[in-house]
Amino acid sequence: MFRTALRNVLAHKARLLMTVLAVMLGVAFVSGTLVFTDTLSQALRKESAKSYDDVAVAVALRPNPEEARTTPGLSQQVVDEVAKLHGVAAVRPRVDGFAGVPDKDGRLIGVGWSNAGANFTPGKDGKDGAYAFAAGDGPTQPGQIALDRATAEAGGYRVGDTVRVATNGPVKEYVLSGVFTTEDGAVNAGGSLVLFDTSVAQKLYLKPGYFSDLNVVATPGTDADGLLDEILKVVPKAATAQTGQALADEQARQIEEGLGAFNQVLLAFAGIALFVGVFLISNTFTMLVAQRTKELALMRAVGASRRQITRSVLVEAGLVGLVASLSGYLLGIGLAVGLRSVMNAFELKVPDGPLVLEATPAVAAFGIGVLITMLAAWLPGRRAAKIPPVAAMSSVHATASAKSLVVRNSIGAAITAIGAVLIVLGAGQGGDTGRMAIAGGTFAALIGVIVLIPMLSRPVIALLRPLSEGAFGVAGKLAGLNAVRNPRRTGATASALAIGLTLVTGLTVIGTSAGAALDKITVDRIKGDYMISMAGGTGLGEEALTALEKAPGVTAVSPQQAGSFRLDGEYASASGVTPGGIEKVLRLDVTDGSMASLGRGGIAVAADTAESRGLKVGSTVPVEYADKQKAELTVGAIYEGNPFVSPVLIDKEVLGAHEQQPYVPQIFVAMDGGASEAHAKALAKAMGDNPAITVMDKKDIRDAFGGPINVLLNIMYGLLGMALIIAVLGVVNTLAMSVFERRQEIGMLRAIGLDQRRVKRMVRLEAVVISVFGAVVGIGLGSFLGWAIGETLKDGMPGYALVMPWSRIALFVALAALVGVLASLWPARSAAKLNMLSAIKAE
């Protein structure tokens, strides 16, 4: 039986090719994901370990705003005490914060969030062990800086050049004293690092005489744990201290966790691709078994048992799965290498390191590939075993009984109903619990629809048939009839496309609706023309606000100064704003009182916060500021919430008097005549052409909020594209098998006058009908799922409402039709080339 199975595989190489491709793509996704994450994980772990190679103990003190007033960091006295401890060879105190460098065109080098500044800490030998200088030396004077090599090359800077550097204050110019290399993770991820003289870094980021971190280098033979105990005795209680090894292990664990989420996403889409591939595999073996009815029946007649017949089909599937797994594993390795190159091309730099080929990806590739193929072929194998020997005497293939279809439809309807009920209940419940119910309902609904899809094919295709018949005549009519001739096969073929489009449509509905909600927030909630912010999330200084107030064309300015205090004993976040200006730049719908009260020392409270705390206009509430000072404030206005400010508004001067370093993440500006290119340039010039400061109009703000959704959708489309590719292979396979089975019929049609052109058209239209049928089912189910998931998002996304993306849905239908046309090219050509006399004689 093994020889028979091998002979059958070799005899049907072309027909099994599509199955091999389907399994190969899914396996490639799985193995490629595992190889890539193994490689990336090892490279990041090695890089992390390098950063702490000579660090015995690391100490950090990052106080909250209240503690920062008394202890902003680790003092020089603490540094000196640590340096005196037995076993300490050197202490490298660090200060860090944001620093950005522009290129020659004034654009910020790096990716914003990883643009860092730090201090250069030379030892007795004049070197800082964390940095290796490729040119020049470290900065030792207030007017000097050093740059990492990648940043220097990107900006075209050389030692001795003048470099503009942006921090959270005005842009300043420094002389480049040196260029260095480093194992710093932020730099290797595509960011930049600027080194300052220690005194300059302390003034920029902390306070003269204080540091945020200490890296302690031990003398040879010193026990790191023992040294840690000694260091803990001399550093402040609020400080945290770890051995360098523990810190490296902690970062490695965080890397594993971060890559774990990345792994799960990619593996989920690999699972979808393999799930779709199951239908193609099952369909292929079902058709192969149907074509070999006589052969299998003869084998039964000469003594083969049912078990042997089933085993023969499973051996065929195992051989196909083995070939597909090997090809998929090799393709997965190439995919891992390509993914690394793609990330580097998008400036998401992957650390250097060898390609890691561990046993897990290989075992997963071969295990999944072979197992999926054999499971998908098991049911056709059982059907093959049930063919009675007497069938060898007949040329009529056994067809499904009416009873089996009734049972199948009844089961499918029950499963679909259960899934629909779970989805509706989840939509009504909302939150994470509701989404879990929807996930379970989605799985049940997909299974139910897949079971029901042969029954659905007749009514849906009956609606499509008049269109093809009216436009293409006889060829269109024959295509419609052929599409429903074998409902099981048509349903299995359309299932793959339906699953892919269910997910794509659902994501599109959610993304479009969420994007519309965000548009409402950005367009409706801003009255001004521009929002000014700093790259990396750092705050804007008081100088920025003053400069904007003096800029030509400015009619109103207000910061969103982030702060907090205890309001009637409970924590409350607050926004310091400019009285009289905030109403002109943001839409604050006042329901009671007046915003003018802010200028008289009062506060304005968002309506939901006022309701939850029992506040109303005229209420007097006790307040405790961050510096522990207490006061009583009067509620002067109640307003509808606005996402650009906190629930409590207060005069920025009142709030700022109690903050050591006021944090201003955004400043809103209204201009005379509205937004224009000239006004944007005027604001940028007023800010000193700071490359780290962004000037965004309403469109930019909308793009900033909606951009991540569009990026996520595009990534999802790309990943789901693999499922759609497998669906295309399924249509190709089905049509090729169908043409082979109907060669006698096609020969007869040719003989009575159907020319080659119309034969091709008939096969193409059959493919289009099947593809559009799958699209209709997928789009319908996907829209339902998109609505349900959207209902669970309403509480967390104000203004969310269902928006049907009709233009994209029309595009999906058109793409499905195109899929049918492309998939039919080879089968249609084969059908048209059949010799009519040979075809008529075919049995």
Side-chain angles (χ1 to χ4, degrees):
M1 295 304 292
F2 178 81
R3 288 198 302 271
T4 302
L6 181 60
R7 178 183 61 79
N8 285 328
V9 169
L10 295 175
H12 301 101
K13 295 188 291 292
R15 300 178 206 173
L16 292 170
L17 177 62
M18 300 302 172
T19 299
V20 171
L21 288 175
V23 178
M24 181 182 74
L25 288 173
V27 168
F29 215 154
V30 172
S31 58
T33 296
L34 294 176
V35 169
F36 176 73
T37 49
D38 285 345
T39 301
L40 184 58
S41 176
Q42 187 178 98
L44 289 172
R45 284 199 300 269
K46 286 184 177 179
E47 182 182 83
S48 176
K50 281 183 184 178
S51 300
Y52 299 100
D53 269 349
D54 61 346
V55 176
V57 178
V59 184
L61 180 56
R62 308 277 177 160
N64 60 42
E66 292 185 11
E67 296 170 339
R69 288 185 168 274
T70 56
T71 311
L74 299 162
S75 67
Q76 184 63 52
Q77 181 182 354
V78 172
V79 176
D80 294 338
E81 289 180 3
V82 171
K84 292 176 185 177
L85 294 174
H86 177 71
V88 174
V91 179
R92 301 191 194 119
R94 299 292 183 199
V95 186
D96 56 51
F98 172 81
V101 176
D103 59 19
K104 295 299 183 182
D105 296 324
R107 293 188 297 266
L108 185 68
I109 298 172
V111 288
W113 56 269
S114 58
N115 295 117
N119 63 312
F120 175 68
T121 308
K124 294 179 181 179
D125 58 357
K127 297 180 180 180
D128 187 329
Y131 311 106
F133 278 83
D137 296 301
T140 55
Q141 298 178 18
Q144 295 180 333
I145 62 162
L147 293 176
D148 68 273
R149 184 160 59 186
T151 301
E153 289 175 353
Y157 296 116
R158 296 186 178 185
V159 173
D161 287 351
T162 298
V163 182
R164 299 172 72 241
V165 180
T167 55
N168 59 348
V171 177
K172 294 183 179 179
E173 293 185 344
Y174 299 86
V175 175
L176 184 62
S177 65
V179 176
F180 60 87
T181 58
T182 177
E183 298 298 332
D184 185 277
V187 174
N188 290 330
S192 64
L193 179 60
V194 181
L195 294 182
F196 298 92
D197 176 67
T198 296
S199 62
V200 174
Q202 288 176 327
K203 289 177 183 177
L204 286 172
Y205 302 127
L206 206 55
K207 189 178 179 180
Y210 286 89
F211 302 89
S212 54
D213 302 272
L214 302 179
N215 287 338
V216 181
V217 181
T219 55
T222 300
D223 177 58
D225 291 322
L227 183 59
L228 173 63
D229 293 337
E230 293 301 314
I231 289 174
L232 285 172
K233 295 177 182 178
V234 298
V235 299
K237 291 183 179 180
T240 59
Q242 289 178 283
T243 63
Q245 183 61 50
L247 198 57
D249 291 343
E250 174 66 17
Q251 288 200 1
R253 185 186 64 78
Q254 292 175 354
I255 289 167
E256 292 291 345
E257 289 180 357
L259 290 177
F262 178 71
N263 240 358
Q264 289 172 6
V265 171
L266 291 181
L267 290 176
F269 284 99
I272 292 169
L274 288 169
F275 183 59
V276 172
V278 166
F279 297 99
L280 191 156
I281 299 164
S282 181
N283 214 14
T284 299
F285 277 94
T286 296
M287 289 186 284
L288 285 175
V289 167
Q291 290 174 13
R292 289 160 46 200
T293 300
K294 282 189 175 183
E295 175 189 331
L296 294 171
L298 282 170
M299 291 176 67
R300 289 291 315 282
V302 297
S305 66
R306 287 188 175 186
R307 185 175 296 177
Q308 285 178 310
I309 296 296
T310 302
R311 192 182 303 153
S312 173
V313 175
L314 290 178
V315 168
E316 289 181 46
L319 291 172
V320 171
L322 194 62
V323 173
S325 297
L326 177 60
S327 306
Y329 177 64
L330 295 176
L331 181 61
I333 294 174
L335 186 65
V337 174
L339 187 56
R340 187 172 182 168
S341 301
V342 168
M343 291 184 73
N344 285 329
F346 281 95
E347 297 184 355
L348 299 172
K349 296 183 180 178
V350 177
D352 291 333
L355 189 69
V356 177
L357 298 177
E358 295 186 350
T360 303
V363 171
F366 285 91
I368 290 172
V370 174
L371 185 64
I372 288 289
T373 310
M374 293 182 71
L375 282 176
W378 177 73
L379 191 57
R382 282 193 71 233
R383 289 183 188 145
K386 290 181 179 180
I387 297 174
V390 72
M393 304 175 192
S394 171
S395 61
V396 180
H397 296 175
T399 58
S401 66
K403 180 181 177 182
S404 68
L405 288 176
V406 170
V407 172
R408 173 175 178 153
N409 293 338
S410 300
I411 294 172
I415 297 173
T416 304
I418 292 171
V421 169
L422 285 174
I423 292 170
V424 172
L425 289 176
Q429 190 169 13
D432 291 337
T433 306
R435 283 190 280 273
M436 290 295 292
I438 291 173
T442 300
F443 181 75
L446 278 174
I447 298 298
V449 168
I450 289 165
V451 175
L452 276 177
I453 207 165
M455 183 189 74
L456 296 174
S457 65
R458 290 190 180 277
V460 175
I461 292 177
L463 294 174
L464 298 174
R465 193 191 306 161
L467 298 176
S468 63
E469 187 175 343
F472 300 100
V474 174
K477 182 176 182 178
L478 290 173
L481 293 172
N482 290 333
V484 293
R485 176 183 293 186
N486 190 330
R488 288 175 181 269
R489 182 185 301 172
T490 297
T493 305
S495 292
L497 197 59
I499 293 169
L501 281 175
T502 294
L503 299 172
V504 168
T505 305
L507 289 170
T508 303
V509 169
I510 296 168
T512 303
S513 301
L518 289 175
D519 280 353
K520 289 179 184 177
I521 292 173
T522 55
V523 174
D524 294 350
R525 299 295 183 177
I526 298 178
K527 291 174 67 176
D529 301 301
Y530 292 100
M531 183 176 78
I532 315 296
S533 60
M534 193 84 169
T538 55
L540 294 155
E542 184 67 28
E543 304 91 345
L545 183 61
T546 303
L548 289 171
E549 290 173 339
K550 297 178 180 179
V554 172
T555 58
V557 177
S558 178
Q560 194 284 104
Q561 179 180 315
S564 64
F565 44 57
R566 292 195 173 277
L567 191 69
D568 198 15
E570 296 183 18
Y571 172 85
S573 61
S575 290
V577 299
T578 301
I582 188 66
E583 309 96 299
K584 297 177 181 178
V585 294
L586 291 180
R587 191 175 303 281
L588 302 170
D589 298 325
V590 178
T591 59
D592 194 12
S594 171
M595 283 291 173
S597 60
L598 294 175
R600 299 190 294 269
I603 58 174
V605 184
D608 55 350
T609 302
E611 182 179 355
S612 65
R613 299 196 179 212
L615 301 176
K616 59 183 180 179
V617 172
S619 298
T620 300
V621 287
V623 172
E624 182 181 340
Y625 293 102
D627 60 358
K628 303 299 183 181
Q629 292 190 28
K630 298 180 179 179
E632 288 193 346
L633 298 176
T634 302
V635 177
I638 305 293
Y639 68 97
E640 294 295 333
N642 186 304
F644 290 100
V645 290
S646 299
V648 179
L649 303 183
I650 187 172
D651 187 340
K652 67 180 182 65
E653 300 295 340
V654 176
L655 184 64
H658 303 278
E659 301 279 347
Q660 183 181 16
Q661 290 183 331
Y663 174 59
V664 181
Q666 298 103 16
I667 299 175
F668 297 92
V669 181
M671 305 294 292
D672 183 15
S676 68
E677 186 175 349
H679 281 156
K681 288 181 179 179
L683 293 177
K685 185 175 181 181
M687 301 295 292
D689 290 321
N690 189 328
I693 290 178
T694 58
V695 179
M696 295 190 288
D697 59 19
K698 288 184 180 180
K699 181 180 179 301
D700 296 327
I701 297 169
R702 183 189 296 113
D703 292 343
F705 278 81
I709 293 177
N710 293 329
V711 170
L712 181 62
L713 278 177
N714 290 333
I715 292 172
M716 296 298 185
Y717 289 159
L719 294 173
L720 289 170
M722 182 171 291
L724 297 179
I725 290 172
I726 294 174
V728 172
L729 297 177
V731 178
V732 173
N733 215 22
T734 296
L735 289 175
M737 295 285 190
S738 180
V739 168
F740 177 80
E741 288 179 358
R742 288 157 38 201
R743 61 193 186 282
Q744 188 177 50
E745 173 190 316
I746 292 171
M748 277 294 232
L749 290 172
R750 289 290 315 281
I752 62 175
L754 196 69
D755 58 19
Q756 287 188 340
R757 181 171 56 85
R758 283 188 286 181
V759 168
K760 286 182 180 179
R761 184 180 298 165
M762 177 186 69
V763 176
R764 286 173 187 160
L765 288 174
E766 182 180 346
V768 170
V769 168
I770 293 173
S771 298
V772 172
F773 162 57
V776 169
V777 173
I779 289 169
L781 184 55
S783 299
F784 178 51
L785 293 178
W787 163 79
I789 296 172
E791 290 296 303
T792 68
L793 300 175
K794 282 186 174 180
D795 292 340
M797 187 175 291
Y800 183 93
L802 179 66
V803 177
M804 289 301 296
W806 296 114
S807 59
R808 292 198 183 187
I809 287 175
L811 178 62
F812 294 158
V813 174
L815 287 176
L818 180 62
V819 163
V821 172
L822 294 176
S824 67
L825 291 178
W826 174 53
R829 189 166 176 269
S830 300
K833 282 190 168 184
L834 282 176
N835 183 290
M836 66 180 75
L837 294 179
S838 300
I840 291 171
K841 290 189 295 183
E843 294 184 1

